[in-house]
Amino acid sequence: DVKVTQSSRYLVKRTGEKVFLECVQDMDHENMFWYRQDPGLGLRLIYFSYDVKMKEKGDIPEGYSVSREKKERFSLILESASTNQTSMYLCASSSGEVSYNEQFFGPGTRLTVL
Amino acid sequence: GQNIDQPTEMTATEGAIVQINCTYQTSGFNGLFWYQQHAGEAPTFLSYNVLDGLEEKGRFSSFLSRSKGYSYLLLKELQMKDSASYLCAVTDGDYKLSFGAGTTVTVRA
């Protein structure tokens, strides 16, 4: 079974702090994704990565950056957390064999910025 | 750009049938996914349609009409455990998914 894990289920940070969210997958997937999920807005793509050291902006990249130094790990960084970044953050991965492969999701990190 | 619409909420009785509609207007299309998400949990894959027609998988079926930009997810013989959010998502063939806002289904006894 594919397993996607995220470093924390719940996180509370203060405005202005630098925040790291970590995601690890164990299925040797090429593609990894970071989403945020807000009520009434659904899942919105922040960043994604096709391969190690590669990254592409999604629909809402402002205020975020990412890092992919190893194939199994994809990190989301909030350089200076703000209250409007309070949200549920979901990581996902998929195989790069074909473009329509299903994405497998982690359990999510609920981030609160005070 | 991508525009994906689905109803916000639906309520049905245990044992009944519920149909969740999804309409989409997208710049590219290479298939439509349905995911199920229980409260506080990760979304899990239900179905993928790329050709017109109905795909049946146990109590769940998914339909696609590419010409109409329309899909539905049909849940039969509803059970209490089917209470969840159902997410419609479209892929343009570039690995990415664009999601609708999700439909929360509540199953009542």
Side-chain angles (χ1 to χ4, degrees):
Chain A
D1 274 355
V2 173
K3 193 169 183 181
V4 181
T5 57
Q6 295 182 227
S7 50
S8 305
R9 289 300 304 268
Y10 299 93
L11 208 54
V12 179
K13 295 291 181 181
R14 296 203 176 276
T15 302
E17 281 193 82
K18 191 168 186 176
V19 181
F20 293 87
L21 302 182
E22 303 286 337
C23 175
V24 177
Q25 50 93 4
D26 66 359
M27 281 300 292
D28 202 35
H29 282 168
E30 290 79 8
N31 305 321
M32 297 189 74
F33 309 82
W34 274 107
Y35 297 88
R36 63 178 284 176
Q37 185 174 32
D38 301 288
L41 297 177
L43 275 76
R44 293 180 291 166
L45 183 64
I46 304 171
Y47 267 96
F48 61 101
S49 170
Y50 293 134
D51 203 347
V52 176
K53 296 193 184 295
M54 295 184 65
K55 59 185 179 183
E56 296 282 343
K57 292 180 180 179
D59 300 318
I60 51 165
E62 297 78 18
Y64 304 94
S65 62
V66 290
S67 172
R68 192 160 181 209
E69 296 297 319
K70 294 185 178 181
K71 191 174 185 180
E72 67 271 18
R73 188 180 297 270
F74 192 33
S75 302
L76 180 70
I77 303 154
L78 286 66
E79 296 289 343
S80 177
S82 63
T83 54
N84 63 12
Q85 292 178 311
T86 291
S87 186
M88 171 68 84
Y89 290 87
L90 289 163
C91 174
S93 71
S94 71
S95 170
E97 289 179 6
V98 291
S99 60
Y100 53 82
N101 271 347
E102 65 180 279
Q103 293 183 13
F104 295 86
F105 286 84
T109 296
R110 184 164 294 282
L111 173 67
T112 301
V113 182
L114 301 175
Chain B
Q2 318 286 48
N3 187 29
I4 301 165
D5 290 317
Q6 50 182 130
T8 303
E9 293 180 336
M10 302 182 76
T11 301
T13 306
E14 200 173 12
I17 298 173
V18 69
Q19 177 175 313
I20 306 169
N21 296 325
C22 173
T23 59
Y24 62 89
Q25 293 174 304
T26 58
S27 54
F29 182 84
N30 197 34
L32 187 143
F33 290 84
W34 285 97
Y35 281 81
Q36 179 190 58
Q37 185 179 25
H38 286 101
E41 298 183 10
T44 54
F45 170 82
L46 286 178
S47 67
Y48 170 73
N49 294 68
V50 65
L51 300 177
D52 286 355
L54 187 68
E55 297 271 348
E56 297 188 77
K57 196 183 288 187
R59 294 188 298 112
F60 292 4
S61 303
S62 56
F63 171 83
L64 177 67
S65 169
R66 293 178 68 140
S67 62
K68 295 182 179 179
Y70 168 69
S71 172
Y72 67 73
L73 180 69
L74 195 68
L75 285 62
K76 294 179 278 191
E77 301 170 19
L78 277 173
Q79 301 176 8
M80 299 300 289
K81 67 179 181 179
D82 298 329
S83 292
S85 287
Y86 292 86
L87 314 179
C88 173
V90 171
T91 179
D92 60 4
D94 193 22
Y95 303 109
K96 296 181 290 182
L97 293 179
S98 295
F99 284 85
T103 300
T104 299
V105 171
T106 302
V107 180
R108 294 188 173 162

